């Protein structure tokens, strides 16, 4: 974990860490960075040929990739090109921690079939912990390969961008309502990107910072597991989970506690039904 000690590096932002991190756009300009990105794109095309040919989106945890590929990805996600724009916009004295265990390689296919991955394109917040006042998660979308046929709209920041190769966007994981506009075009360039996450906690957060890390990790793993299980659903169980994913996404827009309350009510209802059946 790294302390942000230089007050000038935090720019003019002095508010609580829980305020919205504004969507920020950037680009890898150095030739060596672009060559690295091109090499990663070729590797993905060679090793994920089957997934690239399918319609569902594909997420793979970076930590599961070969060590030499992870080392190349580290050069991008640890780069000052990504790090500095984050540090400039968070409160002075905040603590900054890459959440590499949650980072993903993402093959993005515009796939609206009511499955678990439809929420990647509909209006949504990535997370539901925006009520935590002592922390935020900044997500970097690093585009290894893309054309301008899709536009990402960051609603709360009022920023729009049709990302192309070598570009990136930074967004507030829990507090930025965003969506994708576009349509699938056969033969268009693949959208291959990295999703990299960085936890920022308030000065002196202490135990609350550790709780934020644990809570965010749980959200990442649970949401991804449900989404992966129910994308392009075929079985009744997959369709049911896909329905719940899309329902909870809509409820999360209303308020982050609403889907939690809905899950609690569902669990109580199932338990009551089970008790009634057993005691008939």
């Amino acid at each position: 974990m790294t302390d942000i000690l230089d007050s000038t590096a935090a720019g003019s932002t002095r508010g609580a860490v829980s305020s919205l991190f504004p969507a920020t756009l950037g680009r890898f300009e150095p030739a060596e960075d672009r060559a690295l990105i091109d090499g990663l794109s070729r590797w993905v095309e060679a090793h994920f040929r089957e997934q690239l040919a399918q319609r569902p989106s594909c997420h793979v945890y970076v930590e599961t990739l070969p060590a030499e590929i992870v080392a190349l990805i580290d050069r991008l996600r640890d780069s000052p090109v990504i790090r500095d724009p984050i540090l400039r916009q968070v409160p002075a004295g905040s603590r900054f921690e890459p959440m590499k265990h949650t980072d993903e390689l993402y093959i993005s296919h515009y796939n609206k079939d009511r499955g678990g991955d439809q929420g990647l394109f509909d209006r949504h917040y990535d997370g539901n912990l925006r009520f935590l006042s002592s922390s935020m998660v900044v997500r970097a979308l690093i585009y290894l390969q893309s054309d301008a046929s899709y536009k990402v709209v960051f609603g709360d920041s009022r920023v729009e961008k049709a990302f192309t190769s070598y570009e990136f966007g930074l967004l507030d994981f829990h507090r930025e309502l965003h969506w994708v506009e576009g349509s699938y075009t056969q033969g268009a360039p693949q959208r291959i990107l990295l999703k990299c996450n960085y936890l920022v906690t308030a000065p002196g957060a202490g135990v609350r910072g550790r709780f934020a890390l644990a809570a965010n990790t749980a959200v990442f793993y649970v949401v991804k597991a449900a989404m992966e299980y129910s994308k392009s659903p075929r079985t009744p169980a997959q369709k049911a989970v896909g329905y719940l994913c899309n329902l909870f996404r809509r409820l999360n827009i209303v308020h982050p506690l609403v889907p939690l309350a809905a899950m609690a009510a569902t669990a109580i209802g199932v338990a009551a039904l089970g008790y009634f059946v057993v005691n008939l």
Side-chain angles (χ1 to χ4, degrees):
M1 182 178 286
T2 303
D3 285 310
I4 301 172
L5 301 175
D6 185 355
S7 61
T8 61
S12 59
T13 303
R14 291 293 184 271
V17 74
S18 59
S19 61
L20 174 71
F21 180 93
T24 304
L25 309 177
R27 186 176 180 87
F28 286 92
E29 297 291 357
E32 58 270 26
D33 287 343
R34 294 193 174 196
L36 188 158
I37 289 172
D38 289 340
L40 283 172
S41 295
R42 289 193 295 269
W43 183 85
V44 172
E45 288 176 330
H47 288 78
F48 290 89
R49 189 172 293 113
E50 180 180 348
Q51 291 85 347
L52 287 164
Q54 297 172 350
R55 290 313 313 142
S57 298
C58 175
H59 288 78
V60 179
Y61 283 118
V62 168
E63 65 182 6
T64 67
L65 300 176
E68 62 272 19
I69 299 301
V70 175
L72 295 177
I73 291 173
D74 279 340
R75 289 169 55 184
L76 296 176
R77 59 184 174 178
D78 295 336
S79 168
V81 176
I82 297 294
R83 181 188 180 92
D84 289 353
I86 299 176
L87 302 191
R88 284 196 296 266
Q89 298 189 79
V90 299
S94 299
R95 296 178 71 84
F96 174 90
E97 181 175 6
M99 297 179 63
K100 292 187 175 182
H101 59 293
T102 67
D103 291 353
E104 297 167 300
L105 170 68
Y106 173 37
I107 297 171
S108 175
H109 289 157
Y110 200 77
N111 188 42
K112 289 196 171 186
D113 59 4
R114 300 182 182 180
D117 61 349
Q118 178 170 320
L120 297 169
F121 306 99
D122 290 342
R123 292 172 180 262
H124 68 286
Y125 292 101
D126 281 333
N128 68 335
L129 300 178
R130 56 189 182 275
F131 52 83
L132 294 181
S133 61
S134 62
S135 66
M136 69 168 63
V137 173
V138 179
R139 165 166 279 183
L141 304 175
I142 302 174
Y143 284 77
L144 305 181
Q145 184 182 120
S146 183
D147 67 355
S149 59
Y150 296 93
K151 178 173 68 176
V152 182
V153 181
F154 303 99
D156 288 295
S157 296
R158 299 183 180 180
V159 172
E160 300 180 357
K161 177 64 177 175
F163 289 98
T164 58
S165 302
Y166 315 122
E167 295 181 325
F168 67 85
L170 305 174
L171 72 150
D172 194 316
F173 184 83
H174 295 293
R175 301 179 179 91
E176 185 72 62
L177 184 67
H178 59 289
W179 60 94
V180 176
E181 295 180 354
S183 58
Y184 174 65
T185 302
Q186 185 72 33
Q190 297 282 355
R191 295 175 74 235
I192 303 171
L193 56 152
L194 300 171
K195 292 183 174 182
C196 302
N197 307 297
Y198 306 87
L199 177 67
V200 178
T201 52
V207 173
R208 290 181 299 162
R210 295 296 90 201
F211 171 78
L213 178 60
N216 277 284
T217 298
V219 167
F220 278 107
Y221 288 162
V222 171
V223 171
K224 179 176 183 294
M227 184 197 71
E228 286 292 314
Y229 174 74
S230 60
K231 64 184 183 183
S232 293
R234 294 179 176 83
T235 68
Q238 290 172 331
K239 291 178 181 179
V241 173
Y243 172 82
L244 290 175
C245 285
N246 287 297
L247 173 62
F248 290 158
R249 171 181 52 78
R250 293 185 176 93
L251 294 177
N252 187 39
I253 294 174
V254 177
H255 192 278
L257 294 180
V258 175
L260 297 178
M263 284 189 287
T266 300
I268 292 172
V270 170
L273 178 62
Y275 177 84
F276 176 76
V277 170
V278 169
N279 291 277
L280 276 179

